[in-house]
Amino acid sequence: MKLSHEQIGRFEHDGFLFFPSLFRPEEVKVLTEEVPRLYAQDRPENVREKDSDAVRTNFAAHMYSLPFAKLAHHPRLVEPIVQLFGEDVYMHQFKINGKLAFDGDVWQWHQDYGTWKNDDLMPEARAMNVAIFLDEVNEFNGPLMLIPGSHRRGVLDARHDTSTTSYPLWTIDHDTIAKLVERGGIVAPKGAPGSMILFHSCLVHASTSNLSPWNRVSVYLSLCAVSNHIRRFKRPEYIAHRDFAPLRCLPDDCLLRDYEVNLPWKDGTPEQALKPQLAA
Amino acid sequence: MKLSHEQIGRFEHDGFLFFPSLFRPEEVKVLTEEVPRLYAQDRPENVREKDSDAVRTNFAAHMYSLPFAKLAHHPRLVEPIVQLFGEDVYMHQFKINGKLAFDGDVWQWHQDYGTWKNDDLMPEARAMNVAIFLDEVNEFNGPLMLIPGSHRRGVLDARHDTSTTSYPLWTIDHDTIAKLVERGGIVAPKGAPGSMILFHSCLVHASTSNLSPWNRVSVYLSLCAVSNHIRRFKRPEYIAHRDFAPLRCLPDDCLLRDYEVNLPWKDGTPEQALKPQLAA
């Protein structure tokens, strides 16, 4: 999968690209069916909502789940990012965000790179986010809201918010958001399961709570240029990975066929992945 | 203003009617300009959000604010309700809901009549809600979400939720909501300031938090058939009114011209309106 010249121009201007129904229903099904099994597990990678047992986000499924390990090596997401960076990439972060029916809480306005810079000492914003819808996303189940063009402002001042939700986040102040929205507006891509959003790690985004009876489970993968790997291992490894080996793509049909994939954490998370470490 | 046969049929089927841009911009302006003055007042009628000083809802402005007193007697909202009930109506509740930019919190799924029945002993669901948009309502600033047809189920079981937000509410459980939505879906009318939604007091509704930089201030008026007045005065009078005299309409141009209107609470809320009382 190769981005066109027009797509690259649009990405540079808006900071994101939307690919409706990029994955076919039978491919999505392989992933969707795996989620309840992952969410039911009692492991540190499952972060639950503040006021309920609902899973807010599951980390690092590609280290212990076969379908998600295949997804992490899927050419439809790895190749466009390698193309944009002109360099190999590794998996910096891998999340399955629940935003479950009725219980899914907000994600405040933030840039992902703000956290990676502040917490992980990632040198540059040479990392890219990919969101893949496992459920239909509509106006009622808390769609991802993006401020087009906001990535061009680089890293914005942020405040570490540890109280609003169960997950600490570097968030951006209201005045800055108001100014960015005045210029770029807000868009919320909606579509069928299997749709994909590719967005810049400085693009400002948020999502509201999900009061609807429809789950809005999405996979969020963050792929980083290998030369731009993180320099500090303050956060657990299941949140900010420490293996900077380039991702090798599987064939395009990998979700539907048998392929050998390494699952190093399938019998549990190693002790050292749970703790801060001195960087190599 | 008279509803057509077709409108009455649609109301009976869906439980609501939407009137885009019913009030003209110059009429809305008279109301909008009054809101900051009301919200700035330190009076019990201003209920603030749980985690901020932002006003969640202001009660009973028609008792102390000239523009809102005129609105309470406006034929464009009073006449359709008198027509539907075939009887005079009085003002049961009058709110200006803030849902302010960034800080506006959720309203959980509920029926208004549930609260009026449980707390106020209102005999029947012969009361009607009217929402008037003072700001543009779009998909990002927490629009009112309605479940069409849900009013036909009558009063649903509800649980008194005193913790989710700063305002206690009788809320409906998730299983029931899921079933209602399966049948009726969800709609969220959007439109310009001055648009009006008229909806049945058993219509199940909710709204998400407002993370956008756009306020979404709306006036919510609840008009009750005079014969159906409340029988218990447990809640303060500024929340559930105790004056059952029929509303007399002002002329259609009342928001733009001088008319004499009574403002009994303009010098403060009387002591007895703040406390429970034995019903007459």
Side-chain angles (χ1 to χ4, degrees), chain A residues 108-112 129 144-146 199 203-207:
Chain A
Q108 313 93 301
W109 291 108
H110 69 285
Q111 297 176 306
D112 283 2
N129 283 314
L144 189 66
M145 302 187 288
L146 312 169
F199 62 104
L203 193 73
V204 178
H205 59 287
S207 65

Side-chain angles (χ1 to χ4, degrees), chain B residues 98-109:
Chain B
K99 185 74 76 175
L100 293 179
F102 299 113
D103 287 319
D105 205 352
V106 305
W107 289 86
Q108 312 94 300
W109 291 107

Side-chain angles (χ1 to χ4, degrees), chain B residues 127-178:
Chain B
M128 197 75 76
N129 282 315
V130 168
I132 295 164
F133 302 176
L134 297 193
D135 292 303
E136 185 195 292
V137 174
N138 59 43
E139 70 177 282
F140 301 115
N141 59 0
L144 188 66
M145 302 187 288
L146 313 169
I147 305 179
S150 55
H151 66 299
R152 284 183 265 126
R153 296 282 305 277
V155 184
L156 299 160
D157 277 345
R159 190 183 67 85
H160 206 211
D161 179 353
T162 57
S163 66
T164 302
T165 78
S166 61
Y167 189 72
L169 201 64
W170 290 86
T171 62
I172 296 167
D173 71 83
H174 295 174
D175 282 354
T176 306
I177 297 300

Side-chain angles (χ1 to χ4, degrees), chain B residues 193-214:
Chain B
S195 300
M196 178 172 104
I197 309 172
L198 186 154
F199 62 105
H200 194 285
S201 59
C202 285
L203 194 73
V204 179
H205 59 288
S207 65
T208 61
S209 48
N210 180 8
L211 293 186
S212 84
W214 302 301

Side-chain angles (χ1 to χ4, degrees), chain B residues 46-114:
Chain B
N46 279 329
V47 176
R48 294 176 194 276
E49 295 285 11
K50 203 173 169 180
D51 295 321
S52 80
D53 254 358
V55 171
R56 177 172 178 78
T57 189
N58 163 281
F59 282 100
H62 66 306
M63 301 294 275
Y64 47 90
S65 153
L66 181 61
F68 287 102
K70 287 170 165 183
L71 183 68
H73 297 84
H74 205 291
R76 274 176 246 164
L77 56 99
V78 175
E79 282 176 359
I81 301 176
V82 169
Q83 183 188 355
L84 284 166
F85 286 143
E87 173 181 352
D88 278 339
V89 295
Y90 75 95
M91 188 64 66
H92 169 59
Q93 192 170 79
F94 190 109
K95 301 198 294 267
I96 309 172
N97 280 7
K99 185 74 76 175
L100 293 179
F102 299 113
D103 287 319
D105 205 352
V106 305
W107 289 86
Q108 312 94 300
W109 291 107
H110 69 285
Q111 298 176 305
D112 284 2
Y113 179 62

Side-chain angles (χ1 to χ4, degrees), chain A residues 75-88:
Chain A
R76 273 175 246 163
L77 55 98
V78 175
E79 282 176 0
I81 299 176
V82 169
Q83 183 188 355
L84 284 166
F85 286 144
E87 173 181 354
D88 278 338

Side-chain angles (χ1 to χ4, degrees), chain A residues 35-193:
Chain A
V35 174
R37 203 183 65 81
L38 292 172
Y39 278 10
Q41 288 182 40
D42 183 23
R43 39 189 313 162
E45 288 91 342
N46 280 329
V47 176
R48 294 176 194 275
E49 295 283 12
K50 204 174 170 181
D51 296 321
S52 80
D53 254 358
V55 171
R56 177 171 178 79
T57 189
N58 163 281
F59 282 101
H62 66 304
M63 301 294 276
Y64 48 91
S65 153
L66 181 60
F68 286 103
K70 287 171 166 182
L71 183 68
H73 297 84
H74 205 292
R76 273 175 246 163
L77 55 98
V78 175
E79 282 176 0
I81 299 176
V82 169
Q83 183 188 355
L84 284 166
F85 286 144
E87 173 181 354
D88 278 338
V89 294
Y90 76 95
M91 189 64 67
H92 169 59
Q93 192 169 80
F94 191 109
K95 299 198 294 270
I96 309 172
N97 280 8
K99 186 75 75 176
L100 293 179
F102 298 113
D103 287 319
D105 204 353
V106 304
W107 289 87
Q108 313 93 301
W109 291 108
H110 69 285
Q111 297 176 306
D112 283 2
Y113 179 62
T115 300
W116 305 338
K117 179 187 160 85
N118 286 310
D119 286 353
D120 308 327
L121 297 184
M122 184 187 284
E124 305 283 337
R126 286 175 55 78
M128 196 74 77
N129 283 314
V130 168
I132 295 164
F133 303 175
L134 297 192
D135 292 302
E136 185 195 292
V137 173
N138 59 43
E139 70 178 284
F140 301 114
N141 60 359
L144 189 66
M145 302 187 288
L146 312 169
I147 305 178
S150 56
H151 67 298
R152 284 183 264 126
R153 295 281 306 276
V155 183
L156 299 161
D157 278 345
R159 189 183 67 84
H160 205 210
D161 179 353
T162 57
S163 66
T164 302
T165 77
S166 62
Y167 189 72
L169 201 66
W170 290 86
T171 62
I172 296 167
D173 71 85
H174 296 173
D175 282 353
T176 305
I177 296 300
K179 279 179 202 139
L180 291 171
V181 170
E182 210 175 330
R183 196 168 308 176
I186 304 178
V187 297
K190 298 164 201 82

